[in-house]
Each structure stands twice: as C-alpha cells, then as structure tokens.
Amino acid sequence: MELSNDPRLRVQEEAPPAPLTHPSQAKSSSHNAAQQQRYSASVFLRQKDKLEQTQQKCIAIFALVCCFAILVALTCSSVNIWGSDEDGITEENCSRDCQGVVVENVPEELSLLVNRNHVPLMAGFHMLLDQARYSVEVVSPVWNLNSWDQMSSAAKQGQSLFQRLLGLKSRGVRLKITSGLTNSAELKTLAAHNAEVHFVNMTAFTRGGLHSSFWVVDRTHIYVGSADMDWRSFSKRKELGVMMFNCSCLALDLHRIFSFYWQLHERDYIPNIWSKRVTALYGAHNSLELQINDAEASAYVSTSPELFCAKDRTRDVDAIYDVIQRANTFVYISVTDYLPLLSQRSRGNLVTRYWSPLDEAIREAVVLRGVRVRLLISFWEKTHPLTFNFVASLKSLCMHLQNCSVEVRFFWHKEQTEDDHYSPNHNKYVVTDNALYVGNHDWVGSNFAVNAGVGLVIKMENHFRAQLREQVKAAFERDWLSRYAKSLHSGKELHDKHQTSKLDMGPDEEKWNDL
C-alpha cells in the first residue's frame, strides 16, 4: 500500500506548518499596526490641511478678482471716461502763450469812464463765438437773454447773443450747456436746435444752487466772471470778467470742471471714485506757468463747494485766502454781498454760525502785515442788515493802530427802483499788488459751503507788464472814487424795514435818508 494515497497524509502534507508566535512578537505587531494607523491619519490630516489652504487661496483670489471687477465697474459707471479724448489736447502739447482781456459791462445810466483796454462784455462773448470751430461749453445759473421789452437796446443785445447760440448748429459747432434750471423756455428752445442741455440738481447734493458762470470754447478759449446769461448782465448791471484766448492749457483744466458737471446729469449723488478726466491739472501749489500778453504769469482755476473738488483741485475759499495772504501792500475787494455767516439746516432747524476764513484773512492782512484793504460792497434791496455790523467791526481794527488801513464803501445808484431786485454792481473779484482773483461767489459763507462756483487766479509779479491786474485795479479805483461809492459812518437808522448805516453821499452832504 502506497502512503501517498492516504487522504490523511495528503492533508498533512498540504497544510502549512503553524508558525510559532512569541508573546513579545505579537505585542510588536500590534504596535506597528497602531503606528501605521497614526501615520495614515497624519497623512490624511496633512492632505486635508493642504486642501483647505488651497481652497482658501482660491477663495481669496476669487474675492480679489471680484473686488477688482467691481472697482472697474464703479469707475466706468459712476465716473465714466467722460465723453471725448479732450480733442487731442494734453499737458504736453497745450498752449501756454495766451492773450488775456478784461471784459466789463457798465450800465449807460452810470457816469463811469470805461477803460479803453477793456472789451465790452457783449463784444467779448461774440469774440468767443467767432473763434468757435467745433465746441462751445457754457455754464450759467440764469438763462434770460430775451427780455419782454423787445424794442429796447438792452433787450436787443441779449436777443443777439441768443440768436448766435441758436446758429451754432448751422456752423457744425456743438453747443453743450449745464445749468441748474429745469423749466427754462430758452434752454428748451436751444435744446430743440440741437444744443445738449444737462441739469445739475444741486438740491440733492448740497441743498444749494449752481452759481457757476464760465465758458470753454474749443478747449482753447475761456471766460470766467460775474455775468450770467441774463440780458441785465449786458445792460442794467455792472459786470466784470476775464477772457483768455489761445490758452488751451488753462482751458483744458476748466473743461475738466465742466466735464464733472456734465456727468452729474440725472444723478443724486457724488461718485466716490474720481476719474483722471476730472482731476485738477493745476492748483494753488502747482500753478500753470504761462505767458499772458507776453508777460510772465501763473494761473489756476478753483471751485466750490468742497464736495465738488476733485483730486488736487483748490477750493474757491482757499484760492481767495491764498491771494490775500500773498499781498504785500494792498487788497482791493469788490463784491455784491459781504456776510461772513454760514446758515445750514440741522434736524429741521436753521442754524447760523460765524464763518471765519475770509473775514480772518482780511484782519490778519490789516493788523499783522500792515496791508491796506479796501472793500466795496453793493447796497441794494437784499443787503443783509448784519453786513453793517461786520463792516463796523472791520473798521474798528485800526482805531488805535498805526500803519493800519481798512476802508469800506457801499456802491449805490439812486436811480435804482424798488422793483429792481438786481444790484447795479454785480462784480466778484479781488485784486492785489501781485495777483488777481475773479469768481462767481459773493463773500457769504453759505455760498462757498453749498453753492457751485468757479474762480480764476492769475499771479503777475512784474508791475510794469501786469496788464490784466493793472486794468482790474484801475476799474476798482474808478468805482471807489466815483460818486456812487458811499462811506460808512457811525450810527444807524431804520430804512426799508431793516437797519442800515448812514452813508456819506459826497461833497454835497446829501443824506442817506433821501433814498
């Protein structure tokens, strides 16, 4: 019998021998298994951490991309590239060799000699329109060129200018207008003749008004001054402004202010992000160096209120303060109203407080630096009675000081009628021994705080070649020495339902109560 055929033997042959396991070996095997589990768990946790870090990085990158996209969207939607490429005019290729003229309107009923170097206001606007080739940009708070009196010479001047504006379309010149008026018949007529009219809702922005008055023609010629698009500005009111021709560097900067106004159409908020197209090119600390009538000068434009000041733009009040601070010998100021008060509504109540910047600038110039100050203010129906209190305070500065001079006079024309709500002296300028400021605001605190305005500063150190500055100085001295300028006396009397000061009528000793 063969042993290999025994099934029991085959089972024994096929079955592997059972290993002999020592207790210490079993314990080591369990330890290795536990280490393997811990290693696996550690690898898993590290992989999980890496995955979470990667996810966080992805989320952060996605968030940054979204923020950048939102930033670009806001930049393009709230403050657009804003229309044109500025017609190819840049800071590098713009013109700095400028021709400047003083434009003035003196009513026929005022016996004042007009400087032969001054251009009549209406003639100046026609000169600007003659120069126009492709664009005329106008900002004015008033549009009333067509008087009800169609036959008077005064009315015809306004009508003539209006007809020329209507005729720009036939010349292929683009007319763009910004105003605070929403229901103007004249603006509707101009819009019907292809003028583009945008409305700035100042009430929504500052609860103020649009007082700005300036022109930009072909990004090359400009006007800044007191005159509005009102027939009275060419007939009944004394106005003064400055026009600059072939001065594209300065015009480009003023055009940027116009562009800012233009984009506020149908908006009720000011964008938080400013486009480069509205940032200032020049300001109080980086004035434009240029030639005006072959004389070296520097200039810049300012604006108000502060909410409307783009990056690097100088505020109107700071521009005026800068002009006064730089004066060495004299400061001559001609404004319709002088009232250093700021009135604002707080919780439904009207709160009025002292507004100091310009009032203090005058006091510092007079008392600390011995600068001679003359202030010419209009006397008219809307003159605030507190004006006389502030004026008296200014005059009292020099009561016991030597080399101290501050004088105040009121410009008044006795032919004013009670129905005439317009002051005959509508000027708004400051001239010193080395600078000139022409603007749109009277010196009332609330104007600078809530109303939109623009100013032009021109600095000219050379006394012998400073034609513009000397011409404005001569205009001031003419008005100051005229029989329409009345000196303030002590004492007060009641007149027209409010207190006013007695005024010296001149050599004839006529009394103010003859009004």
Side-chain angles (χ1 to χ4, degrees):
M1 179 177 68
E2 294 180 0
L3 295 176
S4 60
N5 292 332
D6 189 340
R8 290 175 298 178
L9 293 175
R10 287 199 301 270
V11 171
Q12 290 176 358
E13 291 175 353
E14 294 174 359
L20 298 175
T21 304
H22 192 274
S24 61
Q25 292 178 343
K27 183 177 180 180
S28 175
S29 176
S30 300
H31 178 71
N32 290 338
Q35 284 183 332
Q36 183 67 30
Q37 290 178 353
R38 285 194 297 270
Y39 173 78
S40 299
S42 176
V43 170
F44 174 76
L45 290 174
R46 285 199 298 271
Q47 292 176 345
K48 182 179 179 182
D49 289 340
K50 289 182 179 180
L51 180 61
E52 289 179 350
Q53 291 176 2
T54 302
Q55 289 176 341
Q56 290 175 356
K57 290 179 180 179
C58 291
I59 292 172
I61 293 172
F62 179 75
L64 289 174
V65 171
C66 290
C67 290
F68 179 76
I70 293 172
L71 182 64
V72 171
L74 285 173
T75 303
C76 295
S77 62
S78 62
V79 185
N80 299 324
I81 299 305
W82 290 16
S84 67
D85 61 352
E86 294 180 339
D87 303 305
I89 300 175
T90 66
E91 295 176 72
E92 290 73 27
N93 64 17
C94 60
S95 172
R96 298 167 184 256
D97 190 3
C98 313
Q99 297 298 312
V101 296
V102 175
V103 290
E104 187 179 21
N105 181 70
V106 177
E108 294 180 357
E109 55 266 26
L110 295 182
S111 301
L112 295 172
L113 293 177
V114 180
N115 189 317
R116 60 183 179 84
N117 293 317
H118 291 190
V119 174
L121 181 63
M122 178 57 68
F125 283 123
H126 283 291
M127 289 168 59
L128 285 175
L129 293 176
D130 288 340
Q131 296 291 325
R133 296 294 178 265
Y134 54 85
S135 70
V136 174
E137 299 167 339
V138 182
V139 181
S140 175
V142 178
W143 281 89
N144 186 24
L145 293 173
N146 294 304
S147 169
W148 60 270
D149 185 359
Q150 302 294 326
M151 301 305 295
S152 68
S153 59
K156 289 180 180 179
Q157 291 193 68
Q159 292 163 12
S160 173
L161 182 60
F162 186 73
Q163 291 301 318
R164 290 211 64 182
L165 292 173
L166 288 176
L168 290 176
K169 173 188 174 183
S170 62
R171 294 168 47 192
V173 177
R174 188 180 182 186
L175 176 59
K176 300 173 70 174
I177 298 171
T178 299
S179 182
L181 304 175
T182 57
N183 192 28
S184 167
E186 290 188 1
L187 290 180
K188 291 178 180 178
T189 301
L190 289 168
H193 287 74
N194 275 15
E196 301 172 69
V197 181
H198 278 196
F199 167 66
V200 178
N201 184 6
M202 289 297 299
T203 302
F205 300 131
T206 62
R207 297 183 180 178
L210 185 74
H211 288 189
S212 303
S213 182
F214 65 89
W215 285 40
V216 182
V217 175
D218 292 351
R219 315 284 203 279
T220 306
H221 322 292
I222 67 170
Y223 159 80
V224 177
S226 61
D228 306 323
M229 293 299 98
D230 187 340
W231 66 273
R232 298 174 183 84
S233 289
F234 312 112
S235 57
K236 300 294 184 182
R237 294 191 306 215
K238 195 161 67 63
E239 309 276 11
L240 187 140
V242 171
M243 290 184 180
M244 303 289 288
F245 294 89
N246 301 316
C247 201
S248 55
C249 287
L250 198 57
L252 180 61
D253 205 20
L254 187 58
H255 162 71
R256 291 190 169 199
I257 296 178
F258 180 87
S259 295
F260 173 68
Y261 289 176
W262 190 253
Q263 290 302 310
L264 295 181
H265 180 58
E266 295 184 348
R267 294 183 185 272
D268 57 3
Y269 65 94
I270 300 294
N272 292 323
I273 302 171
W274 297 96
S275 166
K276 185 179 178 181
R277 297 287 178 148
V278 299
T279 57
L281 297 176
Y282 316 103
H285 302 294
N286 60 328
S287 301
L288 167 68
E289 301 296 327
L290 73 167
Q291 297 277 324
I292 301 178
N293 303 334
D294 298 324
E296 292 185 359
S298 61
Y300 64 91
V301 290
S302 58
T303 190
S304 55
E306 185 173 0
L307 186 64
F308 278 25
C309 289
K311 182 182 178 183
D312 299 327
R313 182 71 65 196
T314 301
R315 299 186 306 167
D316 273 326
V317 63
D318 293 332
I320 298 173
Y321 187 86
D322 178 58
V323 168
I324 296 176
Q325 285 292 100
R326 291 175 179 270
N328 296 315
T329 58
F330 71 87
V331 174
Y332 295 163
I333 304 162
S334 181
V335 289
T336 304
D337 292 310
Y338 181 84
L339 188 67
L341 293 177
L342 175 61
S343 298
Q344 291 179 317
R345 290 202 171 273
S346 176
R347 299 179 181 179
N349 298 320
L350 186 64
V351 179
T352 301
R353 61 181 177 84
Y354 174 56
W355 186 77
S356 63
L358 300 184
D359 196 56
E360 288 183 352
I362 293 174
R363 296 171 187 271
E364 291 174 3
V366 171
V367 176
L368 301 182
R369 305 203 315 275
V371 176
R372 183 174 76 254
V373 172
R374 288 178 173 176
L375 178 58
L376 184 61
I377 310 170
S378 291
F379 180 85
W380 61 310
E381 183 178 308
K382 294 186 178 181
T383 298
H384 197 287
L386 285 177
T387 298
F388 303 98
N389 297 68
F390 286 108
V391 164
S393 175
L394 285 175
K395 286 181 65 65
S396 68
L397 292 173
C398 295
M399 289 181 62
H400 303 290
L401 291 177
Q402 294 181 347
N403 300 322
C404 180
S405 176
V406 55
E407 301 173 87
V408 182
R409 292 184 181 180
F410 288 85
F411 192 93
W412 173 77
H413 179 38
K414 65 180 180 180
E415 298 301 326
Q416 279 181 257
T417 64
E418 294 182 358
D419 295 331
D420 191 359
H421 297 285
Y422 295 88
S423 165
N425 183 36
H426 199 235
N427 296 340
K428 306 173 196 312
Y429 66 82
V430 185
V431 62
T432 74
D433 53 281
N434 53 37
L436 165 67
Y437 170 91
V438 178
N440 305 147
H441 283 321
D442 287 313
W443 287 21
V444 180
S446 301
N447 280 352
F448 293 94
V450 301
N451 296 327
V454 163
L456 171 62
V457 175
I458 298 175
K459 302 173 185 177
M460 308 183 80
E461 299 289 346
N462 191 320
H463 291 245
F464 299 101
R465 305 189 68 185
Q467 295 179 8
L468 286 184
R469 182 175 55 76
E470 287 299 312
Q471 289 174 21
V472 176
K473 176 190 174 188
F476 179 90
E477 291 175 336
R478 174 203 63 196
D479 297 342
W480 181 263
L481 298 174
S482 72
R483 61 191 182 93
Y484 308 109
K486 323 299 179 182
S487 298
L488 180 69
H489 280 287
S490 60
K492 294 184 178 181
E493 64 182 4
L494 197 64
H495 174 68
D496 282 346
K497 299 181 180 180
H498 64 70
Q499 284 187 337
T500 63
S501 297
K502 294 182 180 180
L503 301 177
D504 180 10
M505 301 297 288
D508 56 4
E509 299 297 331
E510 186 178 355
K511 298 303 179 183
W512 185 252
N513 54 13
D514 287 337
L515 286 174

